[in-house]
Amino acid sequence: MVVLLRRRVMGCLIGLVLSLAGVMDAAASSQAVGQRGVIIVGGDHNYPPYEFINEEGQPDGYNTDLTRAIAEVMGIDVEIRLGNWAEIRQLLEAGEIDVVQGMAYSPERAELYDFAPPHAIVHQSIFARKGQASITDLQELRGKEVIVQERGVMHDLMLQNDIGAQLFPAEAHADALRMLASGKHDYALVANLPGLYLGRELELSNIEPVGRTFGARRYGYSVVKGNEELLAQFSEGLAILKNTGRQQAIYDRWLGPLEKSGVAWKKIGQGAAVVSAVLLLVLGGIVIWNRMLTREVARRAQELQLQQQKLIQADKMTSLGVLVSGVAHEINNPCSLVLMNLSMLKEVLRDSEEAYEAFFQQHGDFVLGHLPYSRMRKEIPRMLEDISSGAQRIRRIVDDLRDFARQGPVDLSESVDLNDVVAAAIRLVDSTIRNSTDHFRVRYDESAPRFRGSAQKIEQVVINLIVNACQALDSRDKAISVTIQYEAAKGLLRLEVRDEGRGIEPENLSRLSDPFFTTNREQGGMGLGLSVSLSIVQEHGGTLDYDSEPGKGTRAVLSLPINPGTLPNEQ
């Protein structure tokens, strides 16, 4: 009885000492934060898309945007420090960092840290080189060489459960995936979304996740035990962001696209069933609506034909603008990646040239990329320049398409260079020109002044004239010429598009600008191109004239007035 009483008294004393120590640690931590005036927020420097250092050397990612938004709504000052994850945990435990903006929860970690409500759920994946056996359970890793992030949640899990795998800690997820892709070890155990993100960004095409995702973990802000007051500020700020929708917007921006690619088949099937039911209802409504619309269109077709066709044309241009904007974004991203990596490859080539040359001088010629080095040392710089030129050309074409399809009110107050407009139009229809003729010539006039108008609208006119000239040719041996000329005495800019095509019958020449008149209806022509072009030219105060003879070709002349006071060399 006495022994039992002593044990109870000792237990109470130990509990009291631990409680006092916790209070003192919390007070010290709060005092340190108060003295600094700035809350130090830590995170992993290479854990995209959650948190990482971007190309400008600044913290970025979902966690980082969330922290900045919480600081804004709570009126607190924060400093975000991203670094090696193992070191960040050490700094948190030492009190040099106040809060970590993203830590996966585990019961073992809960003994050391306090956690805020989660702002994400992180799943884990096992990555392997293509062709390796699939893993469906962690126990199957026994005896395997497995790469994990040092002091990451899966590192902790593997050590605690004693799976029996040989662990190889890596500083970051990117290091783990690069080691695996280079042929080292058997598997890499990493978070699913960062693994997919890094595999795509680093272009590690020989590795892939095997088996299903597992180990879903609550992921959120954490502090050392006893710092509940600071954690409460971040919990409250997170709640505000969730209630206002800002947290969801940040989540969708960073994690939405990656998560959409990993939707379970069961959910897809359920969604497809719902969509099918809705589509059946919509289809029934469409059938009824189409019948009603057909009767209405038949009744009013004669009255509204011209307006209907113009609306169709406008709708096509709107759709083109939306399409081009999306395509431009999708093309510019990989194009920028090509240019960025190309710059690095050029530096690698420059740094390695001296070593290659020394080896060549000492040992003679050797094979590099299946070709002799004596040839490759001349070919590689040319190949890199060709790649750079091609990527730049892709970017120029995308920019031209985006400018051409840009929607908005017509602004006739732009300062327009006709030389630039014609060059952009030729780039856009380059494929049509090359498929139509082997003899295309263009002559610019460097003395031509700028004029006031809409570059986008005039570009549309130039494209229509060049495409019509291409369609008029019946042989690739026939030529097309485009000429810009400035007539200073008359204050006129002239653009002449001449082709050696079939020509136009005299009775049709005067009808070229009539709506719906076309000689290319079998090719899908609507007869609105030259009609719309004439309207645009008239808006600019200019004229559009044609001169043609059957069998000898056609000459189209666009004339635009120069505003008084506009100088030839105006920039």
Side-chain angles (χ1 to χ4, degrees):
M1 186 68 178
V2 173
V3 173
L4 179 62
L5 181 60
R6 287 179 178 177
R7 288 179 178 176
R8 290 182 178 178
V9 171
M10 289 298 294
C12 292
L13 289 175
I14 292 172
L16 179 60
V17 171
L18 292 177
S19 299
L20 289 174
V23 170
M24 292 176 65
D25 288 343
S29 178
S30 299
Q31 183 178 5
V33 173
Q35 290 174 350
R36 284 197 297 263
V38 175
I39 298 173
I40 308 300
V41 181
D44 196 330
H45 68 108
N46 200 351
Y47 195 65
Y50 294 99
E51 51 193 12
F52 58 94
I53 300 294
N54 62 23
E55 295 177 357
E56 287 75 30
Q58 298 299 318
D60 210 344
Y62 164 70
N63 295 352
T64 302
D65 283 357
L66 202 60
T67 296
R68 288 169 177 159
I70 290 175
E72 178 184 342
V73 299
M74 295 301 294
I76 57 179
D77 292 331
V78 298
E79 177 184 335
I80 300 175
R81 296 180 185 175
L82 304 185
N84 175 281
W85 175 244
E87 295 176 358
I88 290 296
R89 284 188 60 179
Q90 291 175 357
L91 293 174
L92 176 65
E93 293 163 4
E96 296 184 30
I97 287 179
D98 303 311
V99 58
V100 168
Q101 60 184 4
M103 181 182 288
Y105 174 87
S106 70
E108 293 75 18
R109 287 181 172 181
E111 297 178 2
L112 301 174
Y113 311 108
D114 286 327
F115 290 82
H119 53 66
I121 300 295
V122 176
H123 294 78
Q124 308 297 319
S125 280
I126 301 173
F127 279 73
R129 288 181 291 277
K130 290 183 177 179
Q132 286 187 253
S134 179
I135 297 293
T136 58
D137 188 86
L138 287 180
Q139 295 298 329
E140 297 178 30
L141 295 175
R142 181 175 300 277
K144 306 293 185 182
E145 296 183 0
V146 181
I147 311 169
V148 293
Q149 183 182 25
E150 185 178 3
R151 294 201 70 184
V153 66
M154 298 314 297
H155 190 189
D156 297 344
L157 178 66
M158 296 290 284
L159 292 175
Q160 290 156 6
N161 293 336
D162 192 20
I163 299 296
Q166 187 175 358
L167 302 182
F168 293 86
E171 180 179 316
H173 278 38
D175 299 322
L177 294 177
R178 276 193 289 258
M179 289 168 64
L180 181 66
S182 68
K184 296 179 180 178
H185 313 302
D186 300 317
Y187 298 96
L189 190 54
V190 297
N192 184 54
L193 286 186
L196 295 174
Y197 188 99
L198 289 165
R200 184 184 65 185
E201 293 299 310
L202 299 176
E203 297 185 356
L204 304 178
S205 58
N206 66 328
I207 63 173
E208 61 184 358
V210 293
R212 297 181 179 179
T213 59
F214 65 95
R217 301 281 176 165
R218 300 193 300 272
Y219 184 72
Y221 291 92
S222 64
V223 298
V224 294
K225 281 287 187 180
N227 207 356
E228 295 90 349
E229 182 178 349
L230 175 61
L231 188 64
Q233 295 186 62
F234 282 84
S235 300
E236 182 180 351
L238 182 61
I240 293 173
L241 296 182
K242 288 183 176 180
N243 291 334
T244 58
R246 287 184 63 185
Q247 186 264 347
Q248 188 63 46
I250 297 172
Y251 187 95
D252 291 341
R253 175 192 170 198
W254 286 102
L255 283 77
L258 285 171
E259 289 192 339
K260 288 177 182 176
S261 63
V263 177
W265 284 110
K266 182 177 179 181
K267 292 184 178 179
I268 292 177
Q270 294 172 346
V274 174
V275 171
S276 298
V278 173
L279 286 177
L280 286 174
L281 293 175
V282 173
L283 184 60
I286 289 175
V287 171
I288 297 173
W289 172 253
N290 278 344
R291 291 178 180 176
M292 296 174 59
L293 186 60
T294 300
R295 289 194 294 266
E296 183 68 16
V297 170
R299 185 177 67 84
R300 301 181 60 188
Q302 192 68 29
E303 176 185 357
L304 300 177
Q305 184 179 20
L306 180 59
Q307 291 86 337
Q308 183 184 11
Q309 292 296 330
K310 287 187 176 180
L311 285 174
I312 291 174
Q313 188 72 8
D315 184 61
K316 285 184 177 180
M317 291 302 296
T318 301
S319 300
L320 178 62
V322 174
L323 176 63
V324 167
S325 297
V327 171
H329 177 73
E330 293 300 325
I331 292 178
N332 274 333
N333 280 347
C335 190
S336 299
L337 186 61
V338 169
L339 290 173
M340 181 180 66
N341 289 338
L342 187 62
S343 177
M344 182 177 293
L345 288 177
K346 289 181 178 179
E347 292 182 7
V348 170
L349 179 62
R350 284 195 298 268
D351 293 343
S352 61
E353 278 180 340
E354 185 175 346
Y356 281 137
E357 283 297 322
F359 187 90
F360 177 72
Q361 295 298 329
Q362 294 178 11
H363 303 282
D365 210 352
F366 59 94
V367 175
L368 184 64
H370 302 291
L371 291 174
Y373 170 72
S374 57
R375 177 181 174 185
M376 288 298 288
R377 64 179 176 182
K378 299 178 181 178
E379 292 294 332
I380 291 177
R382 284 199 291 265
M383 291 165 62
L384 293 178
E385 288 303 322
D386 289 344
I387 295 172
S388 178
S389 299
Q392 294 291 353
R393 186 167 184 269
I394 290 172
R395 177 169 287 179
R396 284 198 303 271
I397 291 174
V398 169
D399 290 341
D400 290 340
L401 275 172
R402 187 163 49 193
D403 292 340
F404 176 70
R406 185 178 65 250
Q407 299 298 311
V410 179
D411 181 9
L412 301 181
S413 63
E414 297 179 46
S415 178
V416 183
D417 187 331
L418 187 58
N419 291 304
D420 292 343
V421 170
V422 171
I426 291 173
R427 286 197 298 270
L428 288 179
V429 296
D430 178 66
S431 177
T432 301
I433 294 171
R434 287 188 284 106
N435 290 333
S436 302
T437 178
D438 294 327
H439 305 284
F440 181 83
R441 298 183 298 273
V442 59
R443 188 175 69 187
Y444 299 101
D445 187 347
E446 298 301 330
S447 67
R450 293 174 176 266
F451 64 94
R452 296 293 177 185
S454 168
Q456 180 189 13
K457 293 294 185 181
I458 296 299
E459 183 179 328
Q460 185 177 346
V461 174
V462 176
I463 288 175
N464 281 333
L465 295 178
I466 295 177
V467 170
N468 282 348
C470 290
Q471 292 173 346
L473 301 181
D474 52 17
S475 169
R476 298 180 61 86
D477 295 330
K478 301 296 179 67
I480 297 176
S481 64
V482 179
T483 305
I484 300 173
Q485 184 179 7
Y486 173 50
E487 297 185 7
K490 297 181 181 179
L492 289 176
L493 268 176
R494 295 195 187 277
L495 171 68
E496 177 184 291
V497 179
R498 183 189 296 269
D499 67 73
E500 298 177 353
R502 295 182 296 272
I504 303 172
E505 298 295 334
E507 61 271 19
N508 292 331
L509 197 58
S510 61
R511 302 180 58 196
L512 289 180
S513 299
D514 291 349
F516 309 115
F517 175 79
T518 178
T519 59
N520 296 317
R521 198 169 301 278
E522 67 280 0
Q523 301 179 24
M526 295 176 58
L528 286 174
L530 294 181
S531 175
V532 172
S533 296
L534 179 61
S535 300
I536 293 173
V537 172
Q538 289 175 343
E539 287 178 350
H540 287 75
T543 59
L544 189 56
D545 302 309
Y546 304 94
D547 180 19
S548 182
E549 185 175 345
K552 295 187 177 180
T554 302
R555 183 175 71 103
V557 180
L558 165 64
S559 300
L560 295 170
I562 300 299
N563 295 334
T566 303
L567 299 177
N569 59 351
E570 179 184 347
Q571 298 298 319

